[in-house]
Amino acid sequence: MPKAFAFRLKPSRIDRVEELLNDSQIAIGWSNAQKLVNPSLDKPAFRIELDTQYPDLAKRGRLGHDTNHVWRFIREVSVGDVVIVPHGDNVHFLEVTSGPKLLPGKIADDTAIRRDVSPLLDGKPLSRRSLPSELRKALSFRDTSKELSSVLKDVLAITKVTQGSKAPLIAVESRAGIAAGIQRWQKAFEQLHTPHEFSDDLLWIADVGIWLLVRGWDRDGEHRYWNGLGNRLGNRSTRNLIVEVNPPDGGKPGRWQGLVAETSDGQTWLLHSGEMKVQGKGIQLRDHVTADQLATFTVRFTDGTLESYFAVARLDTDPLDVVIQTKRFMDVCLQVRTQQLGADPAFVQAQRKANLFEESIGHSVVPPQGAKLIDRVHAKIWHSLRKELERKGFKVSNERVGSLGPDLFTTEHETPYLFEIKTTAGASDYLKAVGQLTVYEKALGKTHRKFLVIPPGMDEIASRILDELDIEVIEFSQQGSGYAFAWPDEL
């Protein structure tokens, strides 16, 4: 596995970045110590040579410090390693292609001790703001060099685009191209949409547990996109908005998070910059997610700059694939949002386990059907149940634990509770609830007190079976505009 290092490329305190990179080389300085390129020298010999050629180093207490930097450049760096060169807001990624060499003609410039490098990411730098937070922190060093083993995973995640022979995606910057991409996305959801009694614009995929709302308006001759994603059906005040994916109306995104981009072989992707707002505070997904949670792409814009983006969905594929990919992106955003809102860490972990479990078993989507009152009833029961539990003093997350998981999940007490709501009391309803509650308890790896919330009418045999399975029944009945629940005495 390659190692990673960062170098400033400022020998004798003179910025040589552009000059050296134009030569496809990097340099360390201390050029008068020409014997350092001798492969037989050990580290004490390095120290002696530097002390001989630069006697002021010892006087300033810098001899050991500077020996370490030169030793790193000549001995620790190997062919195939990644070298990062920060330069203002730009960050260059390079692959080392040669051992150390001496160019006598460059001694006066103090760039005589060099290595050959090959540019990664098509030779285009990334902006600092597009880097993961830990890597940004690591590159804030002031010295000549830094070893980057602590952020190697981040470095390799960025550079694998080039190392894997995958060219950067090309940003779609035309108004027509962007509009076409968003229309494809919307069309995929429309083909699988489950009708309901809320807003007609809310495209709800019940079996996956995701909605898409595509809206926008025209202002100052520009179309403003507003594309929201959520995981709970409801009206404007009760549905759960998790993340927006809003591209510009053309040109480079700037402050807009969304982006349509294409691969060299014609694939079309919807991407996201990773910036979200949680209670008005801007956060970056790359500061909270790992490479195994969300795929990233490097994207080239027409001005030649490169930026890193997260994948939302590939748009030129089967509608179900588009929806499931979008759901995967939304789930990660949900986990980050839940964490930022101060939820119990156990619940955040439960969300991730639930989503991983759903991905492992796959999704099946029922084709569009006629409008069902059941969707609206379920949403009303859900809100009434949550309010009643909070009134009883339970901490209940406002988030759902996966599309197949229990409807509500309590936290911050010894034995957490799982609740599954069914709007009718048929055999298929309680059988499905048994499967959902039992499987998720196993998947989450912790004992729960399990409840089936259901209308009156379950027969005696079904009640006895549920009791033997340690699943308690809470019956609900309509009360005005809300619902009342027959709580167990000990709840």
Side-chain angles (χ1 to χ4, degrees):
M1 178 181 292
K3 304 184 295 298
F5 303 87
F7 287 90
R8 283 288 177 191
L9 305 193
K10 293 182 69 174
S12 299
R13 299 183 181 180
I14 299 174
D15 186 341
R16 302 282 188 181
V17 172
E18 292 187 8
E19 170 189 331
L20 287 165
L21 295 189
N22 284 338
D23 291 338
S24 296
Q25 292 180 325
I26 55 175
I28 189 62
W30 294 279
S31 297
N32 289 330
Q34 301 172 38
K35 293 181 181 179
L36 296 180
V37 296
N38 184 339
S40 66
L41 266 59
D42 57 13
K43 198 168 187 179
F46 267 53
R47 185 184 181 96
I48 292 171
E49 173 67 4
L50 284 172
D51 190 25
T52 300
Q53 300 299 328
Y54 297 94
D56 63 311
L57 294 180
K59 296 176 183 178
R60 294 187 290 117
R62 299 279 302 181
L63 182 57
H65 181 273
D66 289 8
T67 298
N68 289 335
H69 289 299
V70 181
W71 178 262
R72 176 174 293 148
F73 185 90
I74 294 176
R75 290 288 191 269
E76 294 181 6
V77 175
S78 302
V79 173
D81 286 346
V82 177
V83 165
I84 298 177
V85 177
H87 192 222
D89 188 50
N90 292 327
V91 180
H92 299 266
F93 289 79
L94 313 164
E95 181 180 358
V96 178
T97 58
S98 82
K101 59 177 64 176
L102 180 70
L103 302 185
K106 294 295 183 178
I107 292 176
D109 295 338
D110 199 18
T111 63
I113 302 175
R114 298 190 177 201
R115 280 179 174 268
D116 294 335
V117 293
S118 175
L120 297 172
L121 306 178
D122 282 359
K124 301 296 183 181
L126 294 182
S127 64
R128 284 180 181 269
R129 65 182 178 83
S130 71
L131 302 178
S133 61
E134 291 304 313
L135 180 53
R136 289 201 307 270
K137 292 177 184 177
L139 295 180
S140 63
F141 68 100
R142 295 181 177 275
D143 287 329
T144 299
S145 68
K146 185 170 184 177
E147 189 269 339
L148 298 177
S149 60
S150 64
V151 289
L152 180 61
K153 186 176 180 180
D154 288 333
V155 174
L156 296 183
I158 291 170
T159 59
K160 71 181 180 182
V161 174
T162 295
Q163 293 173 341
S165 300
K166 291 177 63 178
L169 274 63
I170 304 301
V172 174
E173 299 184 48
S174 69
R175 298 183 69 181
I178 294 169
I182 298 302
Q183 288 169 8
R184 276 186 172 184
W185 192 36
Q186 182 178 14
K187 186 69 173 177
F189 277 75
E190 287 175 346
Q191 292 185 50
L192 301 170
H193 172 49
T194 306
H196 51 81
E197 292 195 348
F198 293 97
S199 166
D200 291 338
D201 296 334
L202 196 71
L203 301 175
W204 169 243
I205 316 296
D207 286 355
V208 178
I210 184 173
W211 57 257
L212 168 66
L213 183 57
V214 175
R215 285 184 174 171
W217 61 92
D218 294 316
R219 179 185 297 171
D220 300 328
E222 179 183 358
H223 184 75
R224 303 290 180 89
Y225 287 96
W226 190 94
N227 305 319
L229 291 170
N231 71 338
R232 190 170 66 235
L233 186 64
N235 58 33
R236 185 184 181 108
S237 61
T238 61
R239 67 180 181 237
N240 190 31
L241 175 66
I242 294 173
V243 63
E244 298 173 24
V245 187
N246 304 328
D249 190 34
K252 200 171 180 180
R255 65 187 179 91
W256 302 108
Q257 323 96 311
L259 178 70
V260 178
E262 297 176 342
T263 64
S264 58
D265 58 357
Q267 296 178 12
T268 302
W269 285 82
L270 181 63
L271 308 174
H272 195 278
S273 68
E275 182 177 348
M276 292 174 53
K277 282 195 174 180
V278 178
Q279 293 184 330
K281 179 183 178 182
I283 62 171
Q284 290 287 341
L285 288 179
R286 55 182 48 87
D287 295 344
H288 303 280
V289 305
T290 57
D292 66 317
Q293 289 180 278
L294 276 181
T296 58
F297 290 101
T298 300
V299 181
R300 180 189 289 112
F301 293 88
T302 54
D303 63 3
T305 58
L306 293 174
E307 298 285 349
S308 178
Y309 276 79
F310 291 103
V312 177
R314 180 180 167 184
L315 302 177
D316 54 353
T317 186
D318 179 83
L320 178 56
D321 287 339
V322 173
V323 170
I324 290 176
Q325 289 177 66
T326 304
K327 172 68 158 51
R328 184 178 298 116
F329 169 76
M330 184 192 72
D331 283 342
V332 175
C333 295
L334 171 61
Q335 293 163 33
V336 173
R337 181 176 292 277
T338 304
Q339 186 177 33
Q340 291 297 301
L341 290 173
D344 185 334
F347 181 75
V348 177
Q349 184 66 15
Q351 279 186 326
R352 186 172 187 192
K353 286 185 177 181
N355 295 329
L356 290 173
F357 176 73
E358 288 178 6
E359 287 185 17
S360 71
I361 64 174
H363 293 272
S364 60
V365 175
V366 178
Q369 305 172 39
K372 296 180 180 179
L373 183 61
I374 187 172
D375 286 326
R376 192 180 187 106
V377 171
H378 187 283
K380 288 183 176 180
I381 297 169
W382 189 95
H383 287 287
S384 295
L385 179 62
R386 178 178 62 82
K387 289 177 182 177
E388 285 298 312
L389 287 168
E390 289 176 343
R391 191 173 293 122
K392 288 176 175 292
F394 289 100
K395 180 68 179 293
V396 182
S397 172
N398 289 336
E399 316 296 357
R400 182 174 169 83
V401 186
S403 62
L404 303 179
D407 287 308
L408 278 176
F409 181 100
T410 65
T411 62
E412 299 183 7
H413 56 108
E414 185 174 354
T415 302
Y417 298 166
L418 305 183
F419 295 87
E420 181 61 35
I421 300 169
K422 296 301 174 188
T423 56
T424 55
S428 63
D429 296 300
Y430 79 80
L431 287 174
K432 184 177 180 181
V434 167
Q436 289 172 288
L437 290 167
T438 303
V439 169
Y440 264 88
E441 182 179 54
K442 296 295 184 183
L444 300 177
K446 189 174 184 179
T447 299
H448 297 72
R449 189 176 176 186
K450 301 180 288 295
F451 297 91
L452 170 57
V453 183
I454 199 166
M458 178 176 291
D459 62 47
E460 184 178 344
I461 295 176
S463 296
R464 187 172 67 249
I465 292 172
L466 290 172
D467 184 59
E468 291 173 355
L469 294 172
D470 291 327
I471 297 176
E472 301 174 62
V473 174
I474 299 176
E475 294 184 339
F476 67 82
S477 58
Q478 191 162 5
Q479 189 175 76
S481 60
Y483 288 83
F485 302 93
W487 301 102
D489 293 337
E490 68 276 19
L491 188 66

